[in-house]
Amino acid sequence: MDYRCILIKFTSTAYALGDEIAAARPPFKQPLPSIPDRLLALMHGGPRNQCVFIHPQMMTFPEAQAATAAPPQESRSNHVREGPNVNIHMTAHPATVALGLMYMRTGNAAIARELALPATISMLEEIRPDLIFVRVLARSLVLWDQIEPTDAWIDKQIPGIIHEYVQSVLKFPSSVEVDISEKEQAYWDEVVDRETVAEVYLYAMSGACFAMSLKYSGAIGDTYESVSMILEDRLRYLMHDFNIESIDWPARHLIRAATRSVVNLCADMMLTSMAILNVGRGKVDTIRFARYRRSHDYELSYWSHYLWKYHEEMSVHRSLAMLFLGEGRLYHQPLRFLWTHAVEPRLLVPMCRKKNKPIQCDIEIRFKIASPLPYFGTAPMVLPPIDDMASIALRGAGVEEIHFDLTKEDRKRDLMEILTTGHGRVAITVTE
């Protein structure tokens, strides 16, 4: 075959192959938006086609932002049925956290504006409530150097319109509890949704406190004392018991306007914040908060009936674990931890059987050794060593009498069950 024929055939094959390649249009450079723009689409909503298309309103370019207005919420995401748009209830949380970590401590003003909470009630109502916590936390990570150990900084993270409605509608903050008349309550019910106001306030406050604890974890001196006091004060009014009406409680209207699950979640995050601040220190006050958080409302036998108890248990034990993280810096903490397992549980706390609240009553203890008189005291108390006692009697005005004869194995076993599994709580019927 002539070499010219070979050349012609090779050229024809090359042209044919080139036409096939051109027709296939291989993506040597995909026209994908930047990662921040894709994350913003996942946070605000948009087409799910790999988040390639992003509405100009969501882009970080000023020229694009001025081009057109943002589409309505219903056209940007789907809340019920999966469609061509992303489901922000699934994507907003991780996308927000990713943005915060990407731009952590950069002070990027554009990203901070995207993460900032809206300034109107109607726009806040479009955001899933628990996402408010994540957005405040992510924005604080971006503006890390602007975090301050003050109440004023926390208040700045809450939208101004929420502050106004909280003060006007829910009478908070206040040094004393303020009553709201039925007429005033009916008026405000026509103006604004109390639940929205309360939820935004609590979630934003919890997110700000969480960010503050992250920055000042391990701090010492005045800064530590300031942050610790802020966290403890704000956790106290979240952990107030709903059933107690006689105690003056300035945050009563705020807490009751929010749902019980929201209050419990925010209290769990505040307890976690305290543990982060005191990581490795084993601070006794934080342990007390954790204990009260675990046992302040319902008996152990009823916990399976309440869905929030699982998250509450998890946060309490997570907080206790962080308190004993020392990484070799605080060597005495492991010893203290082992000591808590070595000691004998002897705390006895009488509980009202009807209200599940601690009460005081008289206690009489007789010992095995020859003693002319028994010991008389008041419970709750820490009992003497179990093996030294012969009997325990709980009695008093208006309460039933309960007697434990520790010379009998079954009654001694009942007492040990109360001290261990029941964490010292013994149910007593109050007759008055």
Side-chain angles (χ1 to χ4, degrees), residues 26 75 143 174 182 199 208 278 303 318 321 333 339 350 396 400 406 423-424 428:
S75 67
L143 304 177
S174 174
E182 294 183 0
E199 288 182 352
N278 296 290
W303 281 15
R318 179 176 60 230
Q333 297 301 335
W339 175 82
E400 68 168 330
L406 301 183
H423 300 279
I428 297 180

Side-chain angles (χ1 to χ4, degrees), residues 130-409:
D130 55 345
L131 181 59
I132 292 174
F133 174 92
V134 182
R135 288 181 64 163
V136 171
L137 175 59
R139 184 175 182 272
S140 300
L141 294 179
V142 176
L143 304 177
W144 181 268
D145 294 333
Q146 298 183 20
I147 299 177
E148 300 175 358
T150 61
D151 285 300
W153 180 84
I154 294 178
D155 292 337
K156 287 181 182 178
Q157 313 313 308
I158 304 172
I161 188 67
I162 296 298
H163 275 297
E164 295 177 6
Y165 277 122
V166 165
Q167 293 175 358
S168 302
V169 183
L170 303 177
K171 311 302 180 184
F172 185 83
S174 174
S175 57
V176 296
E177 182 178 342
V178 180
D179 294 330
I180 301 179
S181 63
E182 294 183 0
K183 182 178 180 180
E184 183 180 3
Q185 184 172 349
Y187 168 77
W188 285 117
D189 287 340
E190 298 293 331
V191 175
V192 69
D193 182 15
R194 296 166 178 265
E195 184 175 338
T196 298
V197 173
E199 288 182 352
V200 173
Y201 186 93
L202 293 179
Y203 273 123
M205 180 203 69
S206 301
C209 291
F210 197 93
M212 181 184 293
S213 66
L214 287 175
K215 179 173 182 178
Y216 295 105
S217 177
I220 59 175
D222 294 339
T223 300
Y224 166 77
E225 295 296 336
S226 176
V227 176
S228 181
M229 185 177 299
I230 290 172
L231 296 181
E232 289 181 7
D233 289 344
R234 293 179 182 257
L235 181 59
R236 281 193 180 95
Y237 69 73
L238 282 174
M239 292 175 61
H240 186 90
D241 199 304
F242 278 70
N243 300 320
I244 300 179
E245 298 288 347
S246 59
I247 298 178
D248 184 79
W249 183 23
R252 186 186 302 275
H253 304 300
L254 172 66
I255 300 303
R256 290 197 167 180
T259 60
R260 184 66 180 264
S261 59
V262 170
V263 175
N264 279 277
L265 285 173
C266 291
D268 292 340
M269 290 299 100
M270 292 295 296
L271 180 61
T272 303
S273 301
M274 292 182 63
I276 293 174
L277 178 68
N278 296 290
V279 61
R281 301 187 184 190
K283 189 177 181 181
V284 176
D285 288 343
T286 306
I287 297 176
R288 289 171 178 162
F289 274 107
R291 176 182 172 82
Y292 180 77
R293 181 84 192 111
R294 187 176 185 271
S295 60
H296 77 287
D297 50 2
Y298 293 100
E299 292 183 356
L300 288 173
S301 59
Y302 299 138
W303 281 15
S304 60
H305 299 173
Y306 300 93
L307 299 179
W308 63 76
K309 278 298 180 183
Y310 170 78
H311 189 277
E312 184 176 296
E313 277 281 285
M314 182 177 64
S315 68
V316 167
H317 288 86
R318 179 176 60 230
S319 301
L320 291 174
M322 285 190 288
L323 288 175
F324 294 100
L325 289 177
E327 297 181 357
R329 291 178 293 110
L330 301 175
Y331 63 91
H332 61 281
Q333 297 301 335
L335 298 180
R336 181 184 296 179
F337 177 74
L338 294 175
W339 175 82
T340 61
H341 285 271
V343 296
E344 186 179 41
R346 300 201 303 263
L347 175 64
L348 188 65
V349 182
M351 302 284 292
C352 176
R353 193 184 303 274
K354 181 179 180 180
K355 297 182 179 180
N356 292 327
K357 306 299 175 188
I359 61 173
Q360 282 190 341
C361 66
D362 299 330
I363 185 171
E364 177 186 343
I365 301 176
R366 295 184 179 273
F367 297 92
K368 293 180 179 179
I369 59 175
S371 177
L373 295 175
Y375 168 81
F376 294 96
T378 303
M381 68 170 294
V382 177
L383 299 173
I386 305 299
D387 292 336
D388 294 345
M389 296 184 294
S391 66
I392 300 174
L394 296 171
R395 61 171 67 94
V399 299
E400 68 168 330
E401 181 174 345
I402 296 181
H403 187 266
F404 294 95
D405 186 355
L406 301 183
T407 60
K408 299 180 179 179
E409 287 299 324

